Amino acid sequence: MSRDGRRIEMRHGAGGPAMRELVGSLFARGAPMGIEGGVGLGALDDGAALRLGERWLVFTTDGHVIDPPFFPGGDIGRLAVCGAVNDLAVMGATDVLGLSLAVVVEEGYAHADLERIQASIEAACREADTRVLTGDTKVMRRGEIDGVVLTTSAIGLVREGGDPVRDAGLRPEDEILVTGTIGDHGMAVMTRRHDLSVGAGDGELLSDVAPLNGLIAAALAAGGPAVVAMKDPTRGGVASALHEMAQKSGVGVVLEEERLPVRPAVRAACELLGIDPLQVANEGKALLGVRPEASDAVLAALHAHPLGKHARRIGRCTATRVGSLILDTGFGRRLVTESEGELLPRIC
Amino acid sequence: MSRDGRRIEMRHGAGGPAMRELVGSLFARGAPMGIEGGVGLGALDDGAALRLGERWLVFTTDGHVIDPPFFPGGDIGRLAVCGAVNDLAVMGATDVLGLSLAVVVEEGYAHADLERIQASIEAACREADTRVLTGDTKVMRRGEIDGVVLTTSAIGLVREGGDPVRDAGLRPEDEILVTGTIGDHGMAVMTRRHDLSVGAGDGELLSDVAPLNGLIAAALAAGGPAVVAMKDPTRGGVASALHEMAQKSGVGVVLEEERLPVRPAVRAACELLGIDPLQVANEGKALLGVRPEASDAVLAALHAHPLGKHARRIGRCTATRVGSLILDTGFGRRLVTESEGELLPRIC
């Protein structure tokens, strides 16, 4: 038992280095990286992968504590479905067998709000061509929990003959693709929470929360084993996701700033709040690391899917600056850091 | 959307009829009972069962909100592992592939307490011969959640050639077995929470929280398909579990009061608080419905296992009083009702 009086801080849930340190030293301590050739807890990937007969089964879980639970472009129900589906998808398990849903709700919560959340869960499941298979409901007394927390787990299969896609498979010269604009989810929630209004001429701020299994299946069909790494840039944004991929893979990553797809409304809100869009959470985007010879084909497949129209090639892996993320601004290069603190608590 | 201003009440999380009504009308509405011959959300069983190649895969989830998180005989970590493992086991999936663990913790929570919980998770996994495969960590601000909530999901396989065991398979004349004493978990937590002391001469009150996959595997090896129904009597106790089994199976159940195994300390605490031990949660017990010709063999297998020493035959199914639970006191018979309210909030 530790004797040093340490306490949990908000940064331990922020998706960055403090969280990875906590998880690695506590919940995943001693856990194997791999299990019988698969992916174990120790790998700290988006899920675990187990061989089951002829196929790979992927298993993942996510707690959802978003505040507010209803936000522009979605709600906690849609988020809980998409969060689980997307964690499977970025491991290559686009054939989603189903989800579990554990609800913890505060005494006095409005039944009508649960109805809205459930309708949203049902709609998101239809979009992802999946279903909730099993569930659990707990009630806490008034004041013991703020509203509602949803935890979803999901199980899915990697396509026949395919292997799970890790977040650690990058090599120098691999290209980094993003499936669409960045920062939409975080800024939609943030501005709603603080009741900020961003110039209407810049368009509405809407979360991008969406299930990516169809889009990722299309990318894998086009790229096959040349899609060597994937991750969904949720908490901590593109910056945390690429740091983790670069560190685990043993490469550097150089991003070209002018190629980063950021909606004008998101850029305006980020400037207003002094936040880097690279550090903002996304809930309907994926980062793909692709061998250079396959990147045109993968990008074409992404563009052909409704959720991938704004996909871009945004960077490239290097043999130097291992574990670092570098932004090429066109005028020079600077290191992109992860946010150490908690910019946006309860963003997902 | 409902327009009637209904609010969630504590009884909606109590494991009884109010919870079943909420889940059936909301979270599981329209969900199929079965999926390709398996068990779906609509069945409201302990988990879902899917055919995967030659085997049945069972998938289950449980949120754990117990207060206090450390209690005599266990803690929330042990409970979270055992809750998931036992839901699999009573579906017949005693080969546990692994668990997911989603942690939601309050800002300011003591790191040392998380260390204790993690040590307990590791120990319970060793007992159950399983492991945590994947996880998630979220932090809520001080006052937004009371301490820590753990949600575990689990995946497991039914033994080769076997089918999932439902909670709805009872027929008249089937015998009801319980794997040990009842009421231990609920009364240990309840007396700790209220700082009650029960006469020391009656022995210590300890939770029974334990992983049952080994015990259930032994029962299934002895009874095979003659083990026709199982359930773990957690929230709502033996009364709720048998009501649900009787209603789904279309039988009545008669219990013999003198056969019910209740420890003296549990009985004393129940009398002090005016609680029926049949309504108290258990976390290391299972109810088995067994064809009469196999019940001796199954009982012998239970007795031979360290967790089944106090197993008993406690009742029998009838073709009359369908959906009812009847207690034969030796002097007469009375109906056992489920608790409609919430006797013991946050008991698991």
Side-chain angles (χ1 to χ4, degrees), chain A residues 67-257:
Chain A
D67 173 34
F70 301 94
F71 50 83
D75 63 34
I76 191 171
R78 181 171 176 81
L79 184 69
V81 172
C82 297
V85 166
N86 294 350
D87 276 347
L88 287 187
V90 295
M91 298 279 295
T94 53
D95 179 0
V96 183
L97 294 170
L99 311 181
S100 67
L101 172 69
V103 179
V104 181
V105 59
E106 185 178 17
E107 179 187 13
Y109 199 77
H111 197 280
D113 284 344
L114 286 183
E115 289 271 358
R116 285 175 66 191
I117 291 169
Q118 174 62 19
S120 189
I121 288 170
E122 290 167 8
C125 281
R126 279 192 299 273
E127 269 178 69
D129 192 22
T130 191
R131 57 208 165 179
V132 175
L133 292 172
T134 187
D136 182 61
T137 308
K138 294 287 189 306
V139 182
M140 290 172 79
R141 288 163 292 209
R142 212 178 286 260
E144 289 180 343
I145 188 165
D146 180 31
V148 65
V149 169
L150 302 183
T151 300
T152 37
S153 298
I155 48 176
L157 296 172
V158 174
R159 70 194 187 289
E160 270 181 80
D163 285 317
V165 181
R166 308 287 304 273
D167 57 9
L170 298 174
R171 287 195 315 218
E173 301 308 318
D174 286 345
E175 298 193 356
I176 304 294
L177 314 184
V178 66
T179 61
T181 57
I182 65 172
D184 298 76
H185 174 76
M187 294 323 293
V189 175
M190 193 72 173
T191 50
R192 170 62 175 267
R193 196 187 293 167
H194 296 291
D195 222 1
L196 297 176
S197 87
V198 176
D202 295 323
E204 205 183 352
L205 280 169
L206 289 176
S207 169
D208 59 337
V209 57
L212 296 176
N213 51 329
L215 177 68
I216 300 285
L220 291 173
V227 178
V228 291
M230 292 195 281
K231 204 162 190 72
D232 54 336
T234 59
R235 282 178 289 175
V238 169
S240 272
L242 284 179
H243 264 108
E244 200 173 337
M245 293 170 84
Q247 284 165 9
K248 288 178 176 175
S249 304
V251 298
V253 172
V254 179
L255 293 182
E256 290 178 62
E257 188 169 36

Side-chain angles (χ1 to χ4, degrees), chain A residues 19 23 27 41 44-49 58-64 79-91 98-102 149-156 232 234-235 283 348, chain B residues 59-63 98-104 132-138 149-155:
Chain A
M19 189 178 89
V23 172
F27 299 119
L41 178 63
L44 302 182
D45 208 321
D46 301 282
V58 178
F59 181 32
T60 181
T61 195
D62 258 324
H64 302 276
L79 184 69
V81 172
C82 297
V85 166
N86 294 350
D87 276 347
L88 287 187
V90 295
M91 298 279 295
L99 311 181
S100 67
L101 172 69
V149 169
L150 302 183
T151 300
T152 37
S153 298
I155 48 176
D232 54 336
T234 59
R235 282 178 289 175
E283 292 292 343
C348 63
Chain B
F59 181 32
T60 182
T61 195
D62 257 325
L99 311 181
S100 67
L101 171 68
V103 179
V104 181
V132 175
L133 292 173
T134 187
D136 182 61
T137 308
K138 293 286 190 306
V149 169
L150 301 183
T151 300
T152 37
S153 298
I155 49 176

Side-chain angles (χ1 to χ4, degrees), chain B:
Chain B
M1 195 185 303
S2 73
R3 294 179 185 80
D4 59 3
R6 278 180 293 165
R7 298 267 166 189
I8 295 299
E9 301 166 33
M10 292 309 296
R11 66 193 178 98
H12 290 118
M19 190 179 87
R20 293 201 294 276
E21 200 281 322
L22 175 72
V23 173
S25 67
L26 187 62
F27 300 118
R29 67 182 178 199
M33 292 281 287
I35 31 177
E36 297 129 35
V39 182
L41 179 64
L44 300 182
D45 208 322
D46 300 283
L50 294 172
R51 192 76 182 173
L52 220 61
E54 298 296 297
R55 304 281 289 269
W56 285 102
L57 179 75
V58 178
F59 181 32
T60 182
T61 195
D62 257 325
H64 303 275
V65 299
I66 192 160
D67 172 35
F70 300 93
F71 50 82
D75 62 35
I76 191 170
R78 182 172 175 81
L79 184 69
V81 172
C82 297
V85 166
N86 294 349
D87 276 347
L88 287 188
V90 296
M91 299 280 295
T94 52
D95 179 1
V96 182
L97 294 171
L99 311 181
S100 67
L101 171 68
V103 179
V104 181
V105 59
E106 185 179 17
E107 179 188 14
Y109 199 77
H111 196 279
D113 284 344
L114 286 183
E115 288 271 359
R116 284 175 66 191
I117 291 168
Q118 175 62 19
S120 189
I121 287 170
E122 290 167 8
C125 281
R126 279 192 298 273
E127 268 179 71
D129 192 23
T130 191
R131 58 206 165 179
V132 175
L133 292 173
T134 187
D136 182 61
T137 308
K138 293 286 190 306
V139 181
M140 289 173 79
R141 288 163 293 210
R142 213 178 284 263
E144 289 180 343
I145 190 165
D146 181 30
V148 65
V149 169
L150 301 183
T151 300
T152 37
S153 298
I155 49 176
L157 295 172
V158 174
R159 70 194 185 290
E160 269 179 80
D163 284 317
V165 181
R166 308 287 305 271
D167 57 8
L170 299 173
R171 288 193 316 216
E173 301 308 318
D174 286 345
E175 298 191 356
I176 304 294
L177 314 183
V178 67
T179 60
T181 57
I182 65 173
D184 299 74
H185 174 75
M187 294 324 292
V189 175
M190 192 71 173
T191 51
R192 170 63 175 269
R193 195 185 295 168
H194 296 292
D195 222 1
L196 296 176
S197 86
V198 176
D202 294 324
E204 205 183 351
L205 281 169
L206 289 177
S207 169
D208 59 337
V209 57
L212 296 176
N213 51 329
L215 177 70
I216 300 285
L220 291 173
V227 178
V228 292
M230 293 196 281
K231 205 162 189 71
D232 54 336
T234 57
R235 283 178 290 175
V238 169
S240 272
L242 285 178
H243 264 107
E244 200 174 336
M245 294 171 84
Q247 284 165 9
K248 288 179 177 175
S249 305
V251 299
V253 171
V254 179
L255 292 182
E256 291 180 61
E257 187 169 36
E258 65 176 15
R259 287 180 173 274
L260 292 175
V262 185
R263 285 186 209 281
V266 171
R267 192 176 295 285
C270 281
E271 281 170 8
L272 192 69
L273 295 165
I275 294 176
D276 183 344
L278 287 170
Q279 296 186 336
V280 178
N282 309 274
E283 292 292 343
K285 299 294 154 42
L287 294 163
L288 284 71
V290 182
R291 298 279 184 250
E293 62 275 15
S295 72
D296 285 346
V298 172
L299 204 51
L302 292 173
H303 286 154
H305 190 282
L307 291 172
K309 283 195 193 113
H310 303 290
R312 294 259 186 96
R313 192 183 273 118
I314 59 171
R316 187 178 288 272
C317 301
T318 63
T320 56
R321 307 301 294 261
V322 168
S324 296
L325 179 59
I326 290 148
L327 190 70
D328 185 332
T329 63
F331 306 101
R333 291 184 164 200
R334 68 169 175 86
L335 266 177
V336 179
T337 54
E338 288 187 83
S339 168
E340 173 53 41
E342 174 56 298
L343 284 175
L344 305 167
R346 296 181 61 185
I347 202 68
C348 62

Side-chain angles (χ1 to χ4, degrees), chain A residues 326-343:
Chain A
I326 291 149
L327 190 69
D328 185 332
T329 62
F331 305 101
R333 292 184 162 201
R334 69 169 175 86
L335 265 178
V336 179
T337 54
E338 288 187 84
S339 168
E340 175 51 43
E342 173 57 300
L343 283 176

